[in-house]
Every structure is written in C-alpha cells, then in structure tokens.
Amino acid sequence: MKLLLTHVDPDGITPIILMNLINQEFEYKLFEATELSSFIIENLNNNYFDKYDEIYITDLGITKECAEKIVSSNYKFKLFDHHESHYYLNDYEFATVKEEVNGFKECGTTIFFNYLVKEYNNPILTKNSVLTFVELVRENDTWQFTEFEEDAHNLSALFSFYGKDLYIENYTDFLKNNNTFYFNKTELIILKSLNRQKQEYLEDMKDKVIFKKIDGYNVGIVFAERHRSNLGNYLARIYSDKVDFICIINLAKHISLRGIKEDKPVNKFASIYGGGGHPLAAAMPCPDGLKEKIIDYIFGVKDENR
C-alpha cells in the first residue's frame, strides 16, 4: 500500500490520476503548502505510516526539521517537487526538487510522471492522451506555454468547475479509454461560459487594486478568491509601470503573489513572511488569527469577549 501526500491544486491532483492509471493500491491526503511538515512530524512516532511501504510527496516541500526526522525514521519517503525555495531538500536522498532543466520548466506532475514511467514501465503512461494531459498540467502550472496554451487554461477551468473528486474520476476514466486528448461537446459549451465569466471577473477586479509600498517593493494588492493565477498575471501586465508584482489575498486560503519582472522575484518577498515558491509565482500564509482580527476591527469587539 502506497500513501500519496500532495497539494490541492491541479498539479498536485494529477499524481492521484496517474496512480489510478497504473492501478496502484494507494491512499492519498491533500494539503496546503504550510500544512504538510507538521502532519508528518506528528505522525512519525505514532505508527500512522506503518501500513505503507512507500510514502510519496508531490508538489510540496517540507521543513529541514521534518526532513531530518524522516531520515531518522524507518519509513520510505520519496519527494517530488519543483519550487526553487525547496532546493535545500536535494541534500536528502529521498527528495528530488527541480524547477527547470535546459529551459524546460518542471512541475510536480512531470517529475512524478517521469519517476512512474521509469519505475513501473506501464504502457498506459505512453498514450498520447496521457502525455498531452501531463503537458497541459505543466503549462498551466508553470506558465511556460506552447501551442497548447488555450487547452491548458481550459483544463484548469474545468478543474475549478468539476471540483477535485469529479475531476479525478472523470479524467481517470477518460485517459484510460481514450488515446487522444480532447474536450467533448458538453465541456466546450461549459468552457465558453466559464471563459466569458472569467474575463468579466478580470475586468471587474481591475479597478479594485490597492497600491502600497512594502519592504521596498511597489505592490498592487487585491482581495480575490477566484482565478488567482490569471488575475495576478493580468493585473501585473496592466499595472507593470506602477507595481513590481501583484499580491492576491484570499482570506479563505492564503496569499498569492504574481509577477512578470525577472528582477523582482516574488518568492524572495514571500520568504520574508514564511512563504516561498517561484520567482514569478509564489505564496505565503495568512497570519494566524487574521479573520478574528478583521471581525474585531469591523465590529469593535474588545478583548473581554475572548
């Protein structure tokens, strides 16, 4: 029995689909970027991992403390990640972290996919539909687009529309039964509506940006819960003369950073606040208790109510 610990976005979800395709017996758990290390450390000493012969980590990093505890354990972990801020994990034999190889930007899916191809040699992984699917996930996650850009955006839109469970079920079945990747007629109708809604959303958010000087950076800040990657890149281009990058605050999850200026790496800014990621796309956690503080501020709640 395998255990897959992975991220909640399409790049993290795709390894679940790949494991389904090669008919592996496995379980999986989904995590936000800052949650995994504490989960592993907490469970290393309570026999939680005993029933698993291998534990895979995809599209996520862990702290040095967590890595050291894994090395000291008897469990077989393998980590596959692509975030520059996690390069230190390459010091550990169980981890593979690669962001770019010869101009080709990797994602968690591609690194794990290459491992599965080598490890299991299952012919289903060489099907054109699977290869295309993996490439679409990579392009959408890294924003290194080819002629498949529109399909990559469309696949991401369907992920948001379906939700993770239906997405996993749908594409596991589709990839098993089709040699060529395509969107069916129903999906094309859905996508037409979704893309129209997305464009309207981007246009609406254009006038909701707040401009601030933070730690020497010119930052455009917006509160948003949808289309964060598209929104961040859209706003970063519109306001390229005013901001170094865009900060998208999603109180329900975390804070996303998107930029288009190579000399203004957003992962460097994110690291100041406990986050990380790539030079042009990063994230950082919302401060603990932020929602409560906002409620207190709005309603004038005093300390005696705590």
Side-chain angles (χ1 to χ4, degrees):
M1 170 78 77
K2 317 288 186 187
L3 176 63
L4 175 61
L5 309 175
T6 193
H7 198 198
V8 295
D9 69 353
D11 187 29
I13 293 296
T14 302
I16 299 170
I17 297 172
L18 296 176
M19 290 288 281
N20 286 338
L21 292 180
I22 61 176
N23 297 316
Q24 285 294 298
E25 184 181 4
F26 76 105
E27 296 175 350
Y28 69 86
K29 287 184 174 295
L30 303 178
F31 296 87
E32 292 288 356
T34 58
E35 299 172 337
L36 181 58
S37 292
S38 59
F39 170 83
I40 292 175
I41 292 172
E42 180 181 342
N43 287 289
L44 277 173
N45 297 318
N46 64 7
N47 302 320
Y48 177 86
F49 297 115
D50 282 0
K51 67 175 180 176
Y52 305 110
D53 55 355
E54 284 188 306
I55 301 111
Y56 298 137
I57 300 171
T58 55
D59 195 34
L60 288 169
I62 54 176
T63 63
K64 289 185 179 180
E65 177 192 5
C66 183
E68 292 291 344
K69 289 185 179 297
I70 286 175
V71 171
S72 300
S73 75
N74 295 318
Y75 299 113
K76 189 176 181 181
F77 279 77
K78 290 184 181 298
L79 182 147
F80 308 89
D81 186 45
H82 68 120
H83 296 94
E84 182 185 86
S85 53
H86 298 150
Y87 275 172
Y88 60 85
L89 291 172
N90 284 322
D91 292 338
Y92 301 92
E93 188 175 346
F94 68 86
T96 300
V97 183
K98 297 185 292 185
E99 182 177 36
E100 185 174 316
V101 179
N102 297 324
F104 179 89
K105 290 187 178 181
E106 300 275 7
C107 66
T109 289
T110 55
I111 300 169
F112 187 59
F113 173 78
N114 290 331
Y115 167 79
L116 294 180
V117 169
K118 182 178 179 180
E119 186 75 11
Y120 293 99
N121 194 32
N122 191 311
I124 196 170
L125 296 177
T126 64
K127 291 175 62 175
N128 181 265
S129 58
V130 177
L131 295 173
T132 302
F133 185 76
V134 168
E135 174 60 14
L136 297 182
V137 172
R138 185 195 75 84
E139 292 191 18
N140 186 73
D141 196 72
T142 64
W143 283 71
Q144 186 182 55
F145 294 110
T146 67
E147 68 272 19
F148 300 118
E149 178 175 359
E150 182 178 358
D151 285 347
H153 288 309
N154 285 341
L155 182 62
S156 178
L158 287 176
F159 174 80
S160 298
F161 179 79
Y162 285 141
K164 61 180 178 59
D165 293 330
L166 185 56
Y167 182 86
I168 292 169
E169 179 183 340
N170 179 71
Y171 281 108
T172 296
D173 181 69
F174 177 88
L175 295 173
K176 282 183 176 180
N177 294 290
N178 291 275
N179 291 321
T180 303
F181 186 88
Y182 63 90
F183 299 113
N184 62 38
K185 291 182 179 180
T186 301
E187 288 173 330
L188 290 173
I189 293 172
I190 293 170
L191 286 167
K192 185 176 182 180
S193 175
L194 291 176
N195 286 327
R196 184 186 300 114
Q197 292 174 30
K198 179 180 72 175
Q199 193 56 44
E200 290 173 353
Y201 183 76
L202 299 186
E203 289 291 333
D204 181 60
M205 297 302 292
K206 182 172 61 176
D207 299 323
K208 293 181 170 59
V209 180
I210 301 168
F211 301 98
K212 293 286 184 180
K213 189 84 170 183
I214 305 173
D215 294 319
Y217 292 92
N218 295 310
V219 185
I221 303 170
V222 65
F223 289 80
E225 295 185 356
R226 295 188 289 149
H227 307 299
R228 293 192 302 278
S229 289
N230 288 282
L231 178 62
N233 281 272
Y234 175 73
L235 295 176
R237 294 186 185 283
I238 287 179
Y239 295 114
S240 61
D241 60 332
K242 297 182 65 174
V243 304
D244 295 320
F245 55 83
I246 295 294
C247 174
I248 305 169
I249 300 176
N250 179 357
L251 294 177
K253 289 189 176 182
H254 55 248
I255 300 169
S256 302
L257 305 173
R258 295 292 185 273
I260 59 171
K261 298 179 180 179
E262 297 286 350
D263 62 336
K264 302 290 183 179
V266 295
N267 54 352
K268 181 179 179 180
F269 180 87
S271 67
I272 300 173
Y273 300 95
H278 306 290
L280 300 182
M284 47 189 271
C286 289
D288 292 338
L290 178 60
K291 293 179 182 178
E292 288 77 10
K293 290 178 181 178
I294 292 173
I295 293 170
D296 291 353
Y297 179 79
I298 292 173
F299 297 104
V301 177
K302 303 301 181 181
D303 289 343
E304 61 263 25
N305 289 327
R306 296 193 181 284

